[in-house]
PDB file of all heavy atoms in Angstrom:
ATOM      1  N   ALA E  34     -13.688   8.287  -8.940  1.00 95.00           N
ATOM      2  CA  ALA E  34     -14.807   8.049  -8.032  1.00 95.00           C
ATOM      3  C   ALA E  34     -15.604   6.819  -8.454  1.00 95.00           C
ATOM      4  O   ALA E  34     -16.170   6.115  -7.612  1.00 95.00           O
ATOM      5  CB  ALA E  34     -15.714   9.273  -7.991  1.00 95.00           C
ATOM      6  N   ALA E  35     -15.648   6.538  -9.733  1.00 95.00           N
ATOM      7  CA  ALA E  35     -16.359   5.353 -10.203  1.00 95.00           C
ATOM      8  C   ALA E  35     -15.555   4.081  -9.933  1.00 95.00           C
ATOM      9  O   ALA E  35     -16.120   3.022  -9.686  1.00 95.00           O
ATOM     10  CB  ALA E  35     -16.646   5.480 -11.689  1.00 95.00           C
ATOM     11  N   LEU E  36     -14.233   4.170  -9.967  1.00 96.00           N
ATOM     12  CA  LEU E  36     -13.389   2.990  -9.770  1.00 96.00           C
ATOM     13  C   LEU E  36     -13.072   2.709  -8.307  1.00 96.00           C
ATOM     14  O   LEU E  36     -12.703   1.588  -7.963  1.00 96.00           O
ATOM     15  CB  LEU E  36     -12.078   3.155 -10.536  1.00 96.00           C
ATOM     16  CG  LEU E  36     -12.190   3.155 -12.065  1.00 96.00           C
ATOM     17  CD1 LEU E  36     -10.820   3.350 -12.685  1.00 96.00           C
ATOM     18  CD2 LEU E  36     -12.812   1.866 -12.559  1.00 96.00           C
ATOM     19  N   LEU E  37     -13.200   3.692  -7.437  1.00 95.00           N
ATOM     20  CA  LEU E  37     -12.806   3.523  -6.038  1.00 95.00           C
ATOM     21  C   LEU E  37     -13.597   2.430  -5.318  1.00 95.00           C
ATOM     22  O   LEU E  37     -12.990   1.610  -4.606  1.00 95.00           O
ATOM     23  CB  LEU E  37     -12.912   4.857  -5.295  1.00 95.00           C
ATOM     24  CG  LEU E  37     -12.342   4.890  -3.888  1.00 95.00           C
ATOM     25  CD1 LEU E  37     -10.852   4.582  -3.924  1.00 95.00           C
ATOM     26  CD2 LEU E  37     -12.581   6.236  -3.247  1.00 95.00           C
ATOM     27  N   PRO E  38     -14.915   2.345  -5.448  1.00 94.00           N
ATOM     28  CA  PRO E  38     -15.621   1.241  -4.767  1.00 94.00           C
ATOM     29  C   PRO E  38     -15.164  -0.137  -5.245  1.00 94.00           C
ATOM     30  O   PRO E  38     -15.055  -1.070  -4.450  1.00 94.00           O
ATOM     31  CB  PRO E  38     -17.089   1.486  -5.113  1.00 94.00           C
ATOM     32  CG  PRO E  38     -17.176   2.921  -5.449  1.00 94.00           C
ATOM     33  CD  PRO E  38     -15.862   3.279  -6.050  1.00 94.00           C
ATOM     34  N   TRP E  39     -14.883  -0.265  -6.529  1.00 96.00           N
ATOM     35  CA  TRP E  39     -14.394  -1.541  -7.048  1.00 96.00           C
ATOM     36  C   TRP E  39     -13.022  -1.866  -6.467  1.00 96.00           C
ATOM     37  O   TRP E  39     -12.740  -3.014  -6.119  1.00 96.00           O
ATOM     38  CB  TRP E  39     -14.309  -1.501  -8.571  1.00 96.00           C
ATOM     39  CG  TRP E  39     -15.655  -1.557  -9.205  1.00 96.00           C
ATOM     40  CD1 TRP E  39     -16.403  -0.504  -9.648  1.00 96.00           C
ATOM     41  CD2 TRP E  39     -16.434  -2.718  -9.442  1.00 96.00           C
ATOM     42  NE1 TRP E  39     -17.588  -0.948 -10.156  1.00 96.00           N
ATOM     43  CE2 TRP E  39     -17.634  -2.304 -10.048  1.00 96.00           C
ATOM     44  CE3 TRP E  39     -16.224  -4.068  -9.216  1.00 96.00           C
ATOM     45  CZ2 TRP E  39     -18.622  -3.205 -10.412  1.00 96.00           C
ATOM     46  CZ3 TRP E  39     -17.207  -4.956  -9.586  1.00 96.00           C
ATOM     47  CH2 TRP E  39     -18.388  -4.532 -10.174  1.00 96.00           C
ATOM     48  N   LEU E  40     -12.168  -0.864  -6.373  1.00 95.00           N
ATOM     49  CA  LEU E  40     -10.835  -1.073  -5.811  1.00 95.00           C
ATOM     50  C   LEU E  40     -10.916  -1.491  -4.344  1.00 95.00           C
ATOM     51  O   LEU E  40     -10.215  -2.410  -3.907  1.00 95.00           O
ATOM     52  CB  LEU E  40     -10.010   0.206  -5.960  1.00 95.00           C
ATOM     53  CG  LEU E  40      -8.569   0.148  -5.487  1.00 95.00           C
ATOM     54  CD1 LEU E  40      -7.771  -0.820  -6.339  1.00 95.00           C
ATOM     55  CD2 LEU E  40      -7.944   1.525  -5.540  1.00 95.00           C
ATOM     56  N   ILE E  41     -11.801  -0.847  -3.592  1.00 96.00           N
ATOM     57  CA  ILE E  41     -11.964  -1.196  -2.179  1.00 96.00           C
ATOM     58  C   ILE E  41     -12.522  -2.606  -2.054  1.00 96.00           C
ATOM     59  O   ILE E  41     -12.056  -3.406  -1.229  1.00 96.00           O
ATOM     60  CB  ILE E  41     -12.877  -0.166  -1.476  1.00 96.00           C
ATOM     61  CG1 ILE E  41     -12.161   1.181  -1.375  1.00 96.00           C
ATOM     62  CG2 ILE E  41     -13.284  -0.652  -0.096  1.00 96.00           C
ATOM     63  CD1 ILE E  41     -13.039   2.302  -0.881  1.00 96.00           C
ATOM     64  N   GLY E  42     -13.498  -2.941  -2.861  1.00 96.00           N
ATOM     65  CA  GLY E  42     -14.082  -4.285  -2.804  1.00 96.00           C
ATOM     66  C   GLY E  42     -13.078  -5.364  -3.155  1.00 96.00           C
ATOM     67  O   GLY E  42     -13.005  -6.407  -2.478  1.00 96.00           O
ATOM     68  N   LEU E  43     -12.295  -5.146  -4.194  1.00 96.00           N
ATOM     69  CA  LEU E  43     -11.294  -6.134  -4.574  1.00 96.00           C
ATOM     70  C   LEU E  43     -10.211  -6.278  -3.509  1.00 96.00           C
ATOM     71  O   LEU E  43      -9.716  -7.380  -3.257  1.00 96.00           O
ATOM     72  CB  LEU E  43     -10.680  -5.768  -5.920  1.00 96.00           C
ATOM     73  CG  LEU E  43     -11.615  -5.928  -7.121  1.00 96.00           C
ATOM     74  CD1 LEU E  43     -10.933  -5.418  -8.385  1.00 96.00           C
ATOM     75  CD2 LEU E  43     -12.037  -7.364  -7.287  1.00 96.00           C
ATOM     76  N   SER E  44      -9.837  -5.170  -2.853  1.00 97.00           N
ATOM     77  CA  SER E  44      -8.823  -5.264  -1.800  1.00 97.00           C
ATOM     78  C   SER E  44      -9.369  -5.999  -0.576  1.00 97.00           C
ATOM     79  O   SER E  44      -8.634  -6.744   0.079  1.00 97.00           O
ATOM     80  CB  SER E  44      -8.318  -3.876  -1.420  1.00 97.00           C
ATOM     81  OG  SER E  44      -9.370  -3.105  -0.895  1.00 97.00           O
ATOM     82  N   VAL E  45     -10.664  -5.835  -0.279  1.00 97.00           N
ATOM     83  CA  VAL E  45     -11.269  -6.582   0.832  1.00 97.00           C
ATOM     84  C   VAL E  45     -11.284  -8.073   0.512  1.00 97.00           C
ATOM     85  O   VAL E  45     -10.956  -8.912   1.364  1.00 97.00           O
ATOM     86  CB  VAL E  45     -12.696  -6.056   1.127  1.00 97.00           C
ATOM     87  CG1 VAL E  45     -13.476  -7.004   2.017  1.00 97.00           C
ATOM     88  CG2 VAL E  45     -12.627  -4.687   1.767  1.00 97.00           C
ATOM     89  N   ILE E  46     -11.650  -8.424  -0.717  1.00 97.00           N
ATOM     90  CA  ILE E  46     -11.660  -9.832  -1.111  1.00 97.00           C
ATOM     91  C   ILE E  46     -10.249 -10.420  -1.045  1.00 97.00           C
ATOM     92  O   ILE E  46     -10.052 -11.541  -0.561  1.00 97.00           O
ATOM     93  CB  ILE E  46     -12.265  -9.982  -2.517  1.00 97.00           C
ATOM     94  CG1 ILE E  46     -13.761  -9.666  -2.473  1.00 97.00           C
ATOM     95  CG2 ILE E  46     -12.040 -11.377  -3.075  1.00 97.00           C
ATOM     96  CD1 ILE E  46     -14.409  -9.568  -3.828  1.00 97.00           C
ATOM     97  N   ALA E  47      -9.256  -9.676  -1.514  1.00 97.00           N
ATOM     98  CA  ALA E  47      -7.873 -10.162  -1.455  1.00 97.00           C
ATOM     99  C   ALA E  47      -7.412 -10.328  -0.006  1.00 97.00           C
ATOM    100  O   ALA E  47      -6.726 -11.301   0.331  1.00 97.00           O
ATOM    101  CB  ALA E  47      -6.955  -9.199  -2.199  1.00 97.00           C
TER     102      ALA E  47
END
Side-chain angles (χ1 to χ4, degrees):
L36 293 179
L37 189 61
W39 287 97
L40 183 65
I41 291 172
L43 290 175
S44 63
V45 166
I46 291 171

